[in-house]
Structures are given as structure tokens and as C-alpha cells.
Amino acid sequence: MKPHNFSIEFFPPKTEEGARKLCATRAELAQLKPLYFSVTFGAGGSTQQGTLDTVLEIQREGHLAAPHLSCIGSTRAQLREVLQGYKANGISRLVALRGDLPSGYGGMGELRYASELVEFIRAETGSHFHIEVAAYPEMHPQARSPQDDLQNFVRKMKAGADAAITQYFYNADAYFYFVEQARKAGIEAPIVPGIMPITNYSQLMRFSDMCGAEIPRWVRLKLASFGDDSAAIRAFGQDVVTDLCRRLLAGGAPGLHFYSMNQAAATKAIWQALL
Ligand code: FAD
């Protein structure tokens, strides 16, 4: 059983070698027929050209592409220009975010929260874009409380978002509870779980510390016990994440969004195991 709302995320490559690799990754993952590929955007516009270039390549290859757009560190005029560029290039989907500023970056920009960005996009471009926003089943790390974070999520959806993609998590109950709370607050739009394949223990721990995703103790202990045995880490990671995806889909998740990290193998293996 294949969900309709299946998407795969890339980041814009920084080198020619990275671009060649991403092209091969895309060709492999395109065989899985995702609904769209999304491409991340560095806060303050640091990857603006790379995001656009990657999105245009994806479109040339005949696939639907959604650039991410973050507002922190940018002025309204800069965001307007980016939106006009996307529109002129036939782009019709966006993932709208606040973003995180790299340390040492100067100004905060003119919009403080993703809800303001969604309002701005709607004011500037009406219903042209299908807009997805971020959701945090385990709470955004800067939120005052889960209740506050939920209210902020609701505000962002009501500002005009069509759907949401979650931060990654390994605890299906956190997702189901979050969706239930969002439904009670009147949000009917799809909330697609974000899925991070497990391929590298230290990288996973680093990312999870930054974004506040919890790695269950038993998963952490097991991964640590494999040491440098990357084949064992990948095999165990595939089991854990495939099982998570099965539970999410069986429990009514409308699809899956894969954080591919520009690698094909893990996403492909999980997806094929779900068929
Ligand atoms: P917001 O929704 O604005 O929330 C940020 C914080 O502010 C939360 O704690 C929220 O509770 C709080 N808040 C919101 N509104 C208010 C208010 N009115 N008053 C008080 N507090 C409020 N980052 C990038 O830089 N580039 C990317 O391409 C990118 N892609 C992502 C894709 C997905 C699917 C996800 C889940 C995350 C992505 N991120 C990306 C990371 C994201 O930018 C960070 O998690 C960032 O810290 C928050 O962005 P947001 O859009 O969720 O912010």
C-alpha cells in the first residue's frame, strides 16, 4: 500500500562533485515515483541560488519540485524577489519556514515567525503556491511549552498553509498525539511525518541534539554497541525506521516525507520494504 503523499528532501550541493552525486541519487529515487522532491534553503538566503538551480534541474528532469523558503535574516523585498523568481520559473509548491540563523549572522530580518511568512506569501501571491509548513510532534526546542508550540502551529496553519511536514522522530505515539491535538484545535490539513533514515550514529546524535528529536534509549544503546560496524548500523536502522513507517501508515498518516541527506540507498530500502 503506497501513500499518495510521498516526498523526498535534498539539500543543494556545494560542489560540482556533490551536484553529480545528487543527480545520480535523484535518478535512483525518481524510480520510486515520489509526488515531489523538496530542496532546502539556507537561512538569510545563503543557498538561494543553489536551491533554485537544484529545483530547476529537478523540473527539467520531469518531476515536481518544491523549494523551501525561510524568512529569518531576510527583508520583505528579498523574499518578494525570491517568490517572483519561483513563480516565473513555474514553481507551484513551497515549504515555508522561519529557519535558523547561522551563528554570527547579522540581522534577524523583517519577519519573525513562519506564520508571518505564510501570511506574506498569501498576500503577495494569493493561492498560487501550495504551502507546507513544519510541525514538531516532540516540540520545537525553542518553544515555551508543548501547548504554546501547538498554538503557534495552529496559527501558522490558519495563516494559509495547505499541509505540514513534521520534524523527524522515532516515537510514533508523539506523532499520533500531536495530530489528535491539532485536529481538536480545528486543523484538518494533512500532517505528513518526516522520516530520517538511520545510517550514521554520530551524525544522527548531532542532528538530534540540535533539533530536539529524541532517540529512544534502546535504539541509542543498540546503535552505540555497533561501534564502527556501519553495515550493522544501517541494517538495524532500516529495521527500526521501516517499522516506524509501517506503524505511521497503519495509524492513518497521510504519507511520508524522507530526509534523504542526498543519499538514495536508505530511503530506497525503506520504501521498497513497505511495498
Ligand atoms: P516557526 O513556526 O516560526 O516556530 C519557531 C519557534 O517560534 C517555535 O518554538 C514556535 O513555537 C515559536 N513561535 C512561533 N510563532 C510564535 C509567536 N507568534 N510567538 C511566540 N513564539 C512563536 N531550516 C532551514 O533553514 N532551511 C530549510 O530548508 C529547512 N527545512 C525544514 C523542513 C522541515 C520539514 C522542518 C521540520 C524543518 C526545516 N528547517 C529548515 C528547520 C526550521 O527552520 C527550524 O526548525 C526553525 O528553528 C523553526 O522553523 P519553523 O518554520 O518551524 O518556525
Side-chain angles (χ1 to χ4, degrees):
M1 170 218 33
K2 249 178 147 191
H4 169 69
N5 218 325
F6 164 45
S7 50
I8 300 177
E9 179 174 314
F10 300 126
F11 56 83
K14 290 200 181 75
T15 61
E16 279 187 22
E17 170 70 4
R20 270 195 300 277
K21 278 194 183 153
L22 180 55
C23 193
T25 296
R26 270 198 317 265
E28 221 175 320
L29 291 176
Q31 294 166 13
L32 309 182
K33 302 198 183 335
L35 178 62
Y36 68 93
F37 289 116
S38 83
V39 183
T40 63
F41 185 91
S46 58
T47 67
Q48 188 173 319
Q49 192 58 42
T51 302
L52 179 62
D53 290 347
T54 308
V55 159
L56 294 182
E57 268 175 47
I58 294 171
Q59 285 194 334
R60 275 196 294 274
E61 290 162 0
H63 311 296
L64 194 56
H68 295 204
L69 176 61
S70 62
C71 60
I72 202 161
S74 295
T75 61
R76 285 187 177 81
Q78 286 166 330
L79 292 166
R80 183 172 297 123
E81 199 183 317
V82 177
L83 288 172
Q84 281 164 358
Y86 286 160
K87 222 176 142 179
N89 281 291
I91 290 159
S92 59
R93 289 186 87 105
L94 284 177
V95 183
L97 305 138
R98 183 197 72 178
D100 291 312
L101 279 182
S103 56
Y105 192 90
M108 293 296 283
E110 291 178 358
L111 305 180
R112 279 170 312 162
Y113 299 112
S115 57
E116 295 174 4
L117 176 61
V118 174
E119 271 170 26
F120 180 76
I121 298 170
R122 288 295 178 227
E124 292 285 320
T125 61
S127 58
H128 176 80
F129 291 106
H130 179 280
I131 304 177
E132 324 245 358
V133 292
Y136 300 85
E138 295 181 326
M139 195 182 94
H140 183 267
Q142 291 158 3
R144 270 179 300 196
S145 68
Q147 292 84 335
D148 246 43
D149 207 29
L150 179 73
Q151 286 318 312
N152 292 329
F153 172 69
V154 169
R155 183 177 305 122
K156 185 160 63 171
M157 294 303 299
K158 291 190 173 165
D162 296 291
I165 303 170
T166 75
Q167 183 56 277
Y168 70 87
F169 56 86
Y170 296 102
N171 182 347
D173 290 337
Y175 169 80
F176 291 128
Y177 188 75
F178 180 84
V179 172
E180 196 183 307
Q181 296 297 302
R183 300 288 179 247
K184 281 185 185 156
I187 302 302
E188 292 302 327
I191 301 174
V192 178
I195 303 297
M196 178 69 92
I198 298 177
T199 57
N200 179 313
Y201 177 52
S202 50
Q203 188 189 53
L204 182 72
M205 292 308 287
R206 207 174 54 247
F207 285 172
S208 304
D209 277 350
M210 281 188 304
C211 72
E214 190 198 27
I215 313 297
R217 184 169 180 274
W218 71 274
V219 173
R220 216 169 356 104
L221 289 175
K222 194 90 179 160
L223 287 170
S225 76
F226 294 131
D228 291 336
D229 186 348
S230 52
I233 292 173
R234 284 197 302 270
F236 174 69
Q238 191 193 321
D239 282 350
V240 168
V241 179
T242 304
D243 187 55
L244 172 71
C245 293
R246 275 204 191 97
R247 288 192 57 202
L248 291 168
L249 294 174
L256 298 168
H257 176 84
F258 281 87
Y259 297 107
S260 76
M261 306 302 292
N262 290 10
Q263 307 287 327
T267 297
K268 194 172 170 184
I270 295 164
W271 185 247
Q272 288 177 337
L274 289 174
L275 297 181

